[in-house]
Amino acid sequence: HVSASASLTAWLAAGRRPVTTRGAYTEEVERRSPGALLLVDDDPAARLAVRKLLEHERAEIHEAGSGVSAEAALQHHRFDCMILDLGLPDISGFDLLDRLSARGPLPPVVVYSGRDLSDEENLRLRQYTESIVIKGVRSPERLLDEVSLFLHALGRKDSATVAAVADAQKDVAGRHVLIVDDDMRNIFALSKALRSRKLNVTMAQDGYKAIAQLEASEEIDLVLMDIMMPGMDGYETIRRIRERPQWRDLPIIAVTAKAMTGDREKCIEAGANDYCSKPIDIEKLMSQIRVWV
């Protein structure tokens, strides 16, 4: 914490200006109505450094030094973004996200942590956010970039676009999808697209973990099953799922690497309800999800 907040303070002292850098955005952040941001970190010095970093954003910043105080703040206020340190004194950031998600939709989350993450920890966090910033020399620029984009995202959309997107999402908003794929890049890209459409997402990297996720949660409404996986492939995983009485009616959409003659029939024979091929057309997939849920 000390080195992270010190490096952030040094970065600010160097006179850096708040500029967005991710994607196509390279312009200086426009002055808009301030958003509301929740900063969750048990280190007062780190919170002060982040406040200074974001002072040009004119955001309304609320602070929480523990998981309990973060939960209380989220019960009483609506936030456009939450910056979360994983090392809280009363509950881990991982468990806090699990608890908050069980109660309802989360605000956009930026994980800002000084710890190196294992593959399992990374996958667990990716259920809630794509924005993970590891504290270090270049981290202030990335943190500012991520937070700026969240705070100003709605400001860049006109009301007609927002209304159209909301209307298209309302039938599936809050539904829970399990993505099963051994390629982490595919999982992250697809989960980000589905979460942006108000779906809850859980991820599994193979068939065995998919079954474990289904056993752990009764709230999964649909499974997106990659077929070509090492070990137990998608066909076998679907068959094993269908062997369980409680999952016989669970919607499963099979995903294959390319459209081949007979693929759809093989997927349906294994027990899938529907089929789509890669590269995935997200709007077509959303139509399929609406049908089956």
PDB file of all heavy atoms in Angstrom, residues 109-128:
ATOM      1  N   VAL A 109     -17.159  -1.876 -12.062  1.00  0.00           N
ATOM      2  CA  VAL A 109     -16.126  -2.060 -11.042  1.00  0.00           C
ATOM      3  C   VAL A 109     -14.743  -1.957 -11.684  1.00  0.00           C
ATOM      4  O   VAL A 109     -14.487  -2.557 -12.727  1.00  0.00           O
ATOM      5  CB  VAL A 109     -16.267  -3.433 -10.355  1.00  0.00           C
ATOM      6  CG1 VAL A 109     -15.135  -3.640  -9.342  1.00  0.00           C
ATOM      7  CG2 VAL A 109     -17.629  -3.560  -9.683  1.00  0.00           C
ATOM      8  N   VAL A 110     -13.851  -1.189 -11.043  1.00  0.00           N
ATOM      9  CA  VAL A 110     -12.439  -1.181 -11.403  1.00  0.00           C
ATOM     10  C   VAL A 110     -11.675  -1.747 -10.212  1.00  0.00           C
ATOM     11  O   VAL A 110     -11.674  -1.155  -9.129  1.00  0.00           O
ATOM     12  CB  VAL A 110     -11.921   0.242 -11.718  1.00  0.00           C
ATOM     13  CG1 VAL A 110     -10.424   0.192 -12.048  1.00  0.00           C
ATOM     14  CG2 VAL A 110     -12.692   0.852 -12.877  1.00  0.00           C
ATOM     15  N   VAL A 111     -11.071  -2.907 -10.390  1.00  0.00           N
ATOM     16  CA  VAL A 111     -10.259  -3.497  -9.331  1.00  0.00           C
ATOM     17  C   VAL A 111      -8.877  -2.848  -9.386  1.00  0.00           C
ATOM     18  O   VAL A 111      -8.213  -2.864 -10.428  1.00  0.00           O
ATOM     19  CB  VAL A 111     -10.151  -5.031  -9.511  1.00  0.00           C
ATOM     20  CG1 VAL A 111      -9.131  -5.603  -8.528  1.00  0.00           C
ATOM     21  CG2 VAL A 111     -11.517  -5.681  -9.303  1.00  0.00           C
ATOM     22  N   TYR A 112      -8.458  -2.261  -8.273  1.00  0.00           N
ATOM     23  CA  TYR A 112      -7.173  -1.559  -8.188  1.00  0.00           C
ATOM     24  C   TYR A 112      -6.403  -2.162  -7.030  1.00  0.00           C
ATOM     25  O   TYR A 112      -6.637  -1.821  -5.872  1.00  0.00           O
ATOM     26  CB  TYR A 112      -7.420  -0.068  -7.989  1.00  0.00           C
ATOM     27  CG  TYR A 112      -6.188   0.802  -8.108  1.00  0.00           C
ATOM     28  CD1 TYR A 112      -5.315   0.685  -9.183  1.00  0.00           C
ATOM     29  CD2 TYR A 112      -5.909   1.775  -7.145  1.00  0.00           C
ATOM     30  CE1 TYR A 112      -4.204   1.501  -9.299  1.00  0.00           C
ATOM     31  CE2 TYR A 112      -4.798   2.603  -7.258  1.00  0.00           C
ATOM     32  CZ  TYR A 112      -3.953   2.457  -8.338  1.00  0.00           C
ATOM     33  OH  TYR A 112      -2.840   3.276  -8.448  1.00  0.00           O
ATOM     34  N   SER A 113      -5.512  -3.079  -7.341  1.00  0.00           N
ATOM     35  CA  SER A 113      -4.903  -3.879  -6.293  1.00  0.00           C
ATOM     36  C   SER A 113      -3.404  -4.005  -6.482  1.00  0.00           C
ATOM     37  O   SER A 113      -2.891  -3.970  -7.604  1.00  0.00           O
ATOM     38  CB  SER A 113      -5.537  -5.286  -6.290  1.00  0.00           C
ATOM     39  OG  SER A 113      -4.910  -6.121  -5.343  1.00  0.00           O
ATOM     40  N   GLY A 114      -2.692  -4.186  -5.377  1.00  0.00           N
ATOM     41  CA  GLY A 114      -1.255  -4.345  -5.420  1.00  0.00           C
ATOM     42  C   GLY A 114      -0.799  -5.782  -5.499  1.00  0.00           C
ATOM     43  O   GLY A 114       0.395  -6.052  -5.599  1.00  0.00           O
ATOM     44  N   ARG A 115      -1.724  -6.743  -5.503  1.00  0.00           N
ATOM     45  CA  ARG A 115      -1.339  -8.157  -5.489  1.00  0.00           C
ATOM     46  C   ARG A 115      -1.346  -8.749  -6.897  1.00  0.00           C
ATOM     47  O   ARG A 115      -2.139  -8.365  -7.753  1.00  0.00           O
ATOM     48  CB  ARG A 115      -2.280  -8.963  -4.595  1.00  0.00           C
ATOM     49  CG  ARG A 115      -3.713  -8.954  -5.056  1.00  0.00           C
ATOM     50  CD  ARG A 115      -4.620  -9.724  -4.112  1.00  0.00           C
ATOM     51  NE  ARG A 115      -4.413 -11.161  -4.177  1.00  0.00           N
ATOM     52  CZ  ARG A 115      -5.041 -12.028  -3.406  1.00  0.00           C
ATOM     53  NH1 ARG A 115      -5.895 -11.608  -2.482  1.00  0.00           N
ATOM     54  NH2 ARG A 115      -4.815 -13.313  -3.522  1.00  0.00           N
ATOM     55  N   ASP A 116      -0.431  -9.680  -7.131  1.00  0.00           N
ATOM     56  CA  ASP A 116      -0.447 -10.437  -8.377  1.00  0.00           C
ATOM     57  C   ASP A 116      -1.546 -11.485  -8.280  1.00  0.00           C
ATOM     58  O   ASP A 116      -1.715 -12.145  -7.248  1.00  0.00           O
ATOM     59  CB  ASP A 116       0.900 -11.117  -8.610  1.00  0.00           C
ATOM     60  CG  ASP A 116       2.013 -10.107  -8.912  1.00  0.00           C
ATOM     61  OD1 ASP A 116       1.698  -9.093  -9.552  1.00  0.00           O
ATOM     62  OD2 ASP A 116       3.158 -10.341  -8.494  1.00  0.00           O
ATOM     63  N   LEU A 117      -2.281 -11.655  -9.360  1.00  0.00           N
ATOM     64  CA  LEU A 117      -3.436 -12.544  -9.345  1.00  0.00           C
ATOM     65  C   LEU A 117      -3.110 -13.875 -10.005  1.00  0.00           C
ATOM     66  O   LEU A 117      -2.458 -13.925 -11.053  1.00  0.00           O
ATOM     67  CB  LEU A 117      -4.608 -11.889 -10.079  1.00  0.00           C
ATOM     68  CG  LEU A 117      -5.087 -10.545  -9.528  1.00  0.00           C
ATOM     69  CD1 LEU A 117      -6.115  -9.932 -10.474  1.00  0.00           C
ATOM     70  CD2 LEU A 117      -5.678 -10.716  -8.140  1.00  0.00           C
ATOM     71  N   SER A 118      -3.583 -14.962  -9.396  1.00  0.00           N
ATOM     72  CA  SER A 118      -3.477 -16.276 -10.027  1.00  0.00           C
ATOM     73  C   SER A 118      -4.503 -16.361 -11.154  1.00  0.00           C
ATOM     74  O   SER A 118      -5.399 -15.521 -11.269  1.00  0.00           O
ATOM     75  CB  SER A 118      -3.738 -17.379  -8.998  1.00  0.00           C
ATOM     76  OG  SER A 118      -5.099 -17.342  -8.575  1.00  0.00           O
ATOM     77  N   ASP A 119      -4.388 -17.402 -11.983  1.00  0.00           N
ATOM     78  CA  ASP A 119      -5.355 -17.577 -13.063  1.00  0.00           C
ATOM     79  C   ASP A 119      -6.769 -17.740 -12.509  1.00  0.00           C
ATOM     80  O   ASP A 119      -7.733 -17.199 -13.065  1.00  0.00           O
ATOM     81  CB  ASP A 119      -4.986 -18.800 -13.906  1.00  0.00           C
ATOM     82  CG  ASP A 119      -3.746 -18.557 -14.759  1.00  0.00           C
ATOM     83  OD1 ASP A 119      -3.386 -17.378 -14.948  1.00  0.00           O
ATOM     84  OD2 ASP A 119      -3.155 -19.546 -15.234  1.00  0.00           O
ATOM     85  N   GLU A 120      -6.890 -18.491 -11.405  1.00  0.00           N
ATOM     86  CA  GLU A 120      -8.206 -18.705 -10.813  1.00  0.00           C
ATOM     87  C   GLU A 120      -8.784 -17.401 -10.267  1.00  0.00           C
ATOM     88  O   GLU A 120      -9.976 -17.116 -10.428  1.00  0.00           O
ATOM     89  CB  GLU A 120      -8.118 -19.748  -9.688  1.00  0.00           C
ATOM     90  CG  GLU A 120      -7.861 -21.168 -10.170  1.00  0.00           C
ATOM     91  CD  GLU A 120      -8.999 -21.690 -11.031  1.00  0.00           C
ATOM     92  OE1 GLU A 120     -10.166 -21.377 -10.740  1.00  0.00           O
ATOM     93  OE2 GLU A 120      -8.728 -22.410 -12.011  1.00  0.00           O
ATOM     94  N   GLU A 121      -7.940 -16.592  -9.622  1.00  0.00           N
ATOM     95  CA  GLU A 121      -8.407 -15.312  -9.088  1.00  0.00           C
ATOM     96  C   GLU A 121      -8.801 -14.368 -10.220  1.00  0.00           C
ATOM     97  O   GLU A 121      -9.805 -13.662 -10.139  1.00  0.00           O
ATOM     98  CB  GLU A 121      -7.311 -14.681  -8.226  1.00  0.00           C
ATOM     99  CG  GLU A 121      -7.083 -15.388  -6.901  1.00  0.00           C
ATOM    100  CD  GLU A 121      -5.902 -14.815  -6.140  1.00  0.00           C
ATOM    101  OE1 GLU A 121      -4.954 -14.318  -6.789  1.00  0.00           O
ATOM    102  OE2 GLU A 121      -5.918 -14.865  -4.893  1.00  0.00           O
ATOM    103  N   ASN A 122      -7.996 -14.386 -11.285  1.00  0.00           N
ATOM    104  CA  ASN A 122      -8.298 -13.545 -12.439  1.00  0.00           C
ATOM    105  C   ASN A 122      -9.638 -13.933 -13.041  1.00  0.00           C
ATOM    106  O   ASN A 122     -10.477 -13.072 -13.338  1.00  0.00           O
ATOM    107  CB  ASN A 122      -7.188 -13.709 -13.485  1.00  0.00           C
ATOM    108  CG  ASN A 122      -7.067 -12.502 -14.389  1.00  0.00           C
ATOM    109  OD1 ASN A 122      -8.075 -12.016 -14.883  1.00  0.00           O
ATOM    110  ND2 ASN A 122      -5.853 -12.042 -14.613  1.00  0.00           N
ATOM    111  N   LEU A 123      -9.873 -15.214 -13.187  1.00  0.00           N
ATOM    112  CA  LEU A 123     -11.134 -15.697 -13.746  1.00  0.00           C
ATOM    113  C   LEU A 123     -12.305 -15.329 -12.849  1.00  0.00           C
ATOM    114  O   LEU A 123     -13.375 -14.935 -13.323  1.00  0.00           O
ATOM    115  CB  LEU A 123     -11.067 -17.214 -13.927  1.00  0.00           C
ATOM    116  CG  LEU A 123     -12.225 -17.861 -14.686  1.00  0.00           C
ATOM    117  CD1 LEU A 123     -12.300 -17.322 -16.102  1.00  0.00           C
ATOM    118  CD2 LEU A 123     -12.085 -19.368 -14.698  1.00  0.00           C
ATOM    119  N   ARG A 124     -12.107 -15.435 -11.546  1.00  0.00           N
ATOM    120  CA  ARG A 124     -13.178 -15.094 -10.607  1.00  0.00           C
ATOM    121  C   ARG A 124     -13.549 -13.615 -10.717  1.00  0.00           C
ATOM    122  O   ARG A 124     -14.735 -13.258 -10.722  1.00  0.00           O
ATOM    123  CB  ARG A 124     -12.741 -15.428  -9.179  1.00  0.00           C
ATOM    124  CG  ARG A 124     -13.830 -15.283  -8.129  1.00  0.00           C
ATOM    125  CD  ARG A 124     -13.317 -15.724  -6.779  1.00  0.00           C
ATOM    126  NE  ARG A 124     -14.309 -15.488  -5.733  1.00  0.00           N
ATOM    127  CZ  ARG A 124     -14.083 -15.656  -4.429  1.00  0.00           C
ATOM    128  NH1 ARG A 124     -12.885 -16.074  -4.027  1.00  0.00           N
ATOM    129  NH2 ARG A 124     -15.028 -15.401  -3.544  1.00  0.00           N
ATOM    130  N   LEU A 125     -12.546 -12.755 -10.836  1.00  0.00           N
ATOM    131  CA  LEU A 125     -12.821 -11.323 -10.960  1.00  0.00           C
ATOM    132  C   LEU A 125     -13.483 -10.991 -12.287  1.00  0.00           C
ATOM    133  O   LEU A 125     -14.320 -10.093 -12.365  1.00  0.00           O
ATOM    134  CB  LEU A 125     -11.524 -10.522 -10.826  1.00  0.00           C
ATOM    135  CG  LEU A 125     -10.914 -10.415  -9.429  1.00  0.00           C
ATOM    136  CD1 LEU A 125      -9.594  -9.660  -9.494  1.00  0.00           C
ATOM    137  CD2 LEU A 125     -11.871  -9.731  -8.461  1.00  0.00           C
ATOM    138  N   ARG A 126     -13.114 -11.715 -13.346  1.00  0.00           N
ATOM    139  CA  ARG A 126     -13.647 -11.409 -14.676  1.00  0.00           C
ATOM    140  C   ARG A 126     -15.147 -11.674 -14.779  1.00  0.00           C
ATOM    141  O   ARG A 126     -15.772 -11.283 -15.755  1.00  0.00           O
ATOM    142  CB  ARG A 126     -12.913 -12.230 -15.736  1.00  0.00           C
ATOM    143  CG  ARG A 126     -11.434 -11.929 -15.856  1.00  0.00           C
ATOM    144  CD  ARG A 126     -11.153 -10.654 -16.587  1.00  0.00           C
ATOM    145  NE  ARG A 126      -9.709 -10.398 -16.665  1.00  0.00           N
ATOM    146  CZ  ARG A 126      -9.159  -9.454 -17.385  1.00  0.00           C
ATOM    147  NH1 ARG A 126      -9.908  -8.646 -18.094  1.00  0.00           N
ATOM    148  NH2 ARG A 126      -7.851  -9.281 -17.405  1.00  0.00           N
ATOM    149  N   GLN A 127     -15.720 -12.355 -13.780  1.00  0.00           N
ATOM    150  CA  GLN A 127     -17.171 -12.506 -13.758  1.00  0.00           C
ATOM    151  C   GLN A 127     -17.850 -11.163 -13.512  1.00  0.00           C
ATOM    152  O   GLN A 127     -19.019 -10.984 -13.842  1.00  0.00           O
ATOM    153  CB  GLN A 127     -17.584 -13.486 -12.661  1.00  0.00           C
ATOM    154  CG  GLN A 127     -17.073 -14.892 -12.869  1.00  0.00           C
ATOM    155  CD  GLN A 127     -17.553 -15.817 -11.773  1.00  0.00           C
ATOM    156  OE1 GLN A 127     -18.747 -15.884 -11.471  1.00  0.00           O
ATOM    157  NE2 GLN A 127     -16.634 -16.550 -11.158  1.00  0.00           N
ATOM    158  N   TYR A 128     -17.101 -10.220 -12.924  1.00  0.00           N
ATOM    159  CA  TYR A 128     -17.688  -8.944 -12.532  1.00  0.00           C
ATOM    160  C   TYR A 128     -17.120  -7.757 -13.292  1.00  0.00           C
ATOM    161  O   TYR A 128     -17.777  -6.720 -13.389  1.00  0.00           O
ATOM    162  CB  TYR A 128     -17.485  -8.724 -11.035  1.00  0.00           C
ATOM    163  CG  TYR A 128     -18.010  -9.852 -10.186  1.00  0.00           C
ATOM    164  CD1 TYR A 128     -17.150 -10.682  -9.474  1.00  0.00           C
ATOM    165  CD2 TYR A 128     -19.375 -10.106 -10.120  1.00  0.00           C
ATOM    166  CE1 TYR A 128     -17.638 -11.721  -8.706  1.00  0.00           C
ATOM    167  CE2 TYR A 128     -19.868 -11.151  -9.360  1.00  0.00           C
ATOM    168  CZ  TYR A 128     -18.995 -11.955  -8.652  1.00  0.00           C
ATOM    169  OH  TYR A 128     -19.478 -12.994  -7.899  1.00  0.00           O
TER     170      TYR A 128
END
